[in-house]
Amino acid sequence: MARSITAPDGFGAAATHETFQLPPGRTLDICLNLHNAILEHRLAPGMKLSEDEVGEIYGASRTVVRAALQALAHSGLVTIARNRGAFVSRPGIREAQEVFEARALIEPRIARLAAYAMKASDLKRLKKHMDAEHAALASGDKGKALALSGAFHIAIADIADQQVLSQMVRSLISRSSLIIALYWRRADTTCESHAHHALLKAFSEKDGPAAEEIQKSHIVDLHSGLDLREKQEPKSSLADALKPD
Amino acid sequence: MARSITAPDGFGAAATHETFQLPPGRTLDICLNLHNAILEHRLAPGMKLSEDEVGEIYGASRTVVRAALQALAHSGLVTIARNRGAFVSRPGIREAQEVFEARALIEPRIARLAAYAMKASDLKRLKKHMDAEHAALASGDKGKALALSGAFHIAIADIADQQVLSQMVRSLISRSSLIIALYWRRADTTCESHAHHALLKAFSEKDGPAAEEIQKSHIVDLHSGLDLREKQEPKSSLADALKPD
DNA sequence: TGATCAAAAATTGTATACGATCTAATTTGT
DNA sequence: ACAAATTAGATCGTATACAATTTTTGATCA
């Protein structure tokens, strides 16, 4: 039946079976497909993921869908509430801060390791990634551009050939996508490309320390593109909301 | 029926519901119980975890057990092979290296943050942790002592109040337990206590940089306690194994 | 005796059924 | 008309049944 659901359009496939530590199978297919949908902002934070509904879409029974949703829950993209079901996660401000602080700790190190491990073929792959990113941006597909931008970071981690750290980065970048969906305030996403270009230059020169430094600045810059001020909580009651007005 | 399976003996409960991102329920109970069993080396790496067998033990159906095993697979403690079932993970040498390198990157940072956030009550809790660790060691329960040693590191992460990094450390420490089960070569585990004592001193003085440095040395020291030389692979066939002898 | 193949047993993958819980719509009472 | 209570519907949690796959067993033959 429905096998190989995820459209394998070359890039964008930020997640693999290792991301979820699941054996190949329909559960994994659904996982990856939902994962991509969330990363490309086709599913908004907070959206309900009903087991029946998802199962209907993929032509699978609840058993399989449940497993997929639980796997996504473990990776932080989905939140499960007992007897209430699964929702696309809505990371709070606090979590957003921590995710980017963690990225600022881990990714620069990875960038340095990647610079040392970089081969000519790797460089070429990274360049192709960037081109795809530009193309998506030019065609106005913001969701895809963002997903590709994340895939660029993941590609670096893969080149560094550190599976443990790579896994962490994957998770952090997935969560970053949700955070950006919720808190991004900057109109231009072009800054992205500049940093990625600079990284590529450092990589081509096998300059580890430079790559590390650029990556750190890049993450800090991304972080600063978020509006993480405490939002006005929705008033607890309608009366409270209207009284002072 | 069987609810609250995990014996809540104060410490040792290194995992919470956040570790698995699961809502409270029987699945989580089984998760936590298996988690503890693995961390205390009551379940050896490579051991088969049959769904029926586990279900029998906890008086639960396969549905629930499967979910628990998959959650443990996501956290890396269990490996699932399609159509073959779940096994306690056997991390390889490469993974062992990477896990301790990741700890050396993350935990010192956490130690520094913890030093700044340390309150008197936190210090007292850490001291109690250490006492429990000593007691377990004195009573000869090596498995429990190791689990408590891990819990000490996790307690630090909790004090630092960084949930994202804390979650990562939890995962790394769980995997470290498997790695130690497979590759530990040192007889004395006392070095542990010295490092933990030194950390406590730095914490009590709110000396962040010192805590960071001590923690880094401590992790490197743990790493050096492993025998990660390439082992002779088991011969591909029995004939090959016996011929040269 | 040892290797090869076939059948049986055991184990996992998936679908479905039923009870429990939550959500909402409707009713009821003031 | 509004709030509280009740009922109906939808959704989740769990057990169980059957199909698919692997592993073990046992038979056959060189």
Side-chain angles (χ1 to χ4, degrees):
Chain A
M1 198 203 286
R3 204 55 188 290
S4 182
I5 296 166
T6 32
D9 62 335
F11 304 96
T16 71
H17 80 102
E18 290 186 342
T19 310
F20 300 105
Q21 300 277 76
L22 282 173
R26 299 207 293 150
T27 298
L28 182 63
D29 287 339
I30 294 174
C31 253
L32 295 177
N33 212 35
L34 286 175
H35 181 94
N36 284 340
I38 295 174
L39 254 60
E40 293 178 10
H41 291 182
R42 301 200 311 271
L43 294 175
M47 189 171 291
K48 177 81 193 283
L49 298 172
S50 153
E51 294 178 358
D52 278 324
E53 205 171 342
V54 175
E56 188 85 19
I57 291 166
Y58 293 115
S61 79
R62 282 181 52 217
T63 309
V64 178
V65 173
R66 257 179 94 78
L69 290 174
Q70 286 179 351
L72 287 164
H74 190 267
S75 79
L77 287 184
V78 157
T79 301
I80 294 176
R82 183 174 174 89
N83 284 321
R84 290 185 16 82
F87 303 81
V88 179
S89 295
R90 288 179 44 88
I93 290 168
R94 169 70 178 286
E95 183 180 335
Q97 298 278 10
E98 291 192 8
V99 164
F100 276 87
E101 282 165 17
R103 289 186 63 175
L105 173 62
I106 296 172
E107 291 203 55
R109 163 76 60 100
I110 285 183
R112 179 150 58 97
L113 295 173
Y116 297 140
M118 191 72 53
K119 287 178 296 188
S121 57
D122 295 328
L123 263 177
K124 252 193 357 208
R125 237 187 41 237
L126 283 180
K127 279 203 186 94
K128 277 211 265 183
H129 261 274
M130 253 188 33
D131 292 343
E133 201 182 326
H134 284 157
L137 212 61
S139 79
D141 190 342
K142 273 221 174 185
K144 173 145 257 171
L146 180 66
L148 285 169
S149 162
F152 186 83
H153 285 244
I154 289 169
I156 293 172
D158 285 340
I159 291 164
D161 201 23
Q162 296 277 325
Q163 305 210 332
V164 170
L165 289 179
S166 187
Q167 226 15 72
M168 289 178 174
V169 168
R170 279 190 150 83
S171 168
L172 289 171
I173 285 173
S174 298
R175 296 163 85 175
S176 293
S177 175
L178 287 177
I179 291 165
I180 287 171
L182 285 168
Y183 303 112
W184 191 251
R185 62 172 177 191
R186 226 180 262 163
D188 61 325
T189 329
T190 50
C191 56
E192 279 284 302
S193 306
H194 286 306
H196 288 187
H197 261 295
L199 271 172
L200 224 55
K201 180 162 175 293
F203 286 148
S204 69
E205 295 164 358
K206 286 198 191 301
D207 188 342
E212 180 172 351
E213 198 52 45
I214 293 166
Q215 185 68 301
K216 186 164 182 187
S217 307
H218 177 36
I219 308 271
V220 168
D221 183 50
L222 281 177
H223 191 162
S224 76
L226 301 172
D227 179 5
L228 295 178
R229 287 168 303 185
E230 208 64 59
K231 290 269 194 333
Q232 203 70 9
E233 282 296 317
K235 302 283 183 174
S236 51
S237 84
L238 191 61
D240 286 351
L242 298 179
K243 221 177 280 175
D245 189 40
Chain B
M1 197 204 283
R3 205 52 190 291
S4 183
I5 296 166
T6 32
D9 61 336
F11 303 97
T16 72
H17 80 102
E18 290 186 341
T19 310
F20 300 104
Q21 301 275 75
L22 282 174
R26 300 207 293 148
T27 299
L28 182 64
D29 287 341
I30 295 174
C31 253
L32 295 177
N33 211 36
L34 285 175
H35 182 95
N36 284 339
I38 295 174
L39 255 61
E40 294 178 8
H41 291 182
R42 301 201 309 273
L43 294 175
M47 190 171 290
K48 176 82 194 281
L49 298 172
S50 152
E51 293 178 0
D52 277 324
E53 206 171 341
V54 175
E56 187 86 19
I57 291 166
Y58 294 114
S61 79
R62 282 180 52 215
T63 309
V64 179
V65 173
R66 258 180 95 78
L69 290 174
Q70 286 179 352
L72 286 164
H74 301 152
S75 79
L77 286 184
V78 158
T79 301
I80 294 176
R82 183 174 173 89
N83 285 320
R84 293 185 16 83
F87 303 81
V88 179
S89 294
R90 288 178 45 87
I93 290 169
R94 168 71 178 285
E95 183 179 336
Q97 299 278 11
E98 289 191 10
V99 163
F100 275 87
E101 281 164 17
R103 289 186 63 175
L105 173 63
I106 296 172
E107 290 203 54
R109 163 77 60 100
I110 285 184
R112 178 149 61 96
L113 295 173
Y116 297 140
M118 191 72 53
K119 289 178 295 188
S121 57
D122 294 328
L123 262 176
K124 250 186 9 202
R125 235 184 47 235
L126 284 180
K127 280 203 185 95
K128 278 212 262 185
H129 260 275
M130 253 188 32
D131 293 343
E133 200 182 327
H134 284 157
L137 213 62
S139 79
D141 191 341
K142 274 221 173 182
K144 173 144 256 171
L146 180 66
L148 285 168
S149 163
F152 186 83
H153 285 244
I154 289 169
I156 293 171
D158 286 340
I159 290 164
D161 202 23
Q162 295 276 326
Q163 304 209 334
V164 171
L165 290 178
S166 188
Q167 218 31 60
M168 289 178 173
V169 167
R170 279 190 151 83
S171 168
L172 290 171
I173 285 172
S174 297
R175 296 162 85 175
S176 293
S177 176
L178 287 177
I179 291 165
I180 287 171
L182 286 168
Y183 304 112
W184 192 251
R185 62 172 177 190
R186 226 181 261 162
D188 63 323
T189 330
T190 50
C191 55
E192 280 282 303
S193 306
H194 286 306
H196 289 186
H197 261 296
L199 271 172
L200 224 57
K201 180 163 176 293
F203 286 149
S204 69
E205 294 165 357
K206 288 197 190 300
D207 187 342
E212 180 172 351
E213 199 51 48
I214 293 166
Q215 186 68 301
K216 186 163 182 188
S217 307
H218 177 36
I219 308 271
V220 168
D221 183 50
L222 281 177
H223 192 163
S224 75
L226 301 173
D227 179 5
L228 295 178
R229 287 168 302 185
E230 208 64 58
K231 290 269 196 330
Q232 202 70 7
E233 282 296 316
K235 301 284 183 174
S236 52
S237 82
L238 192 60
D240 287 351
L242 298 179
K243 221 178 279 176
D245 189 37

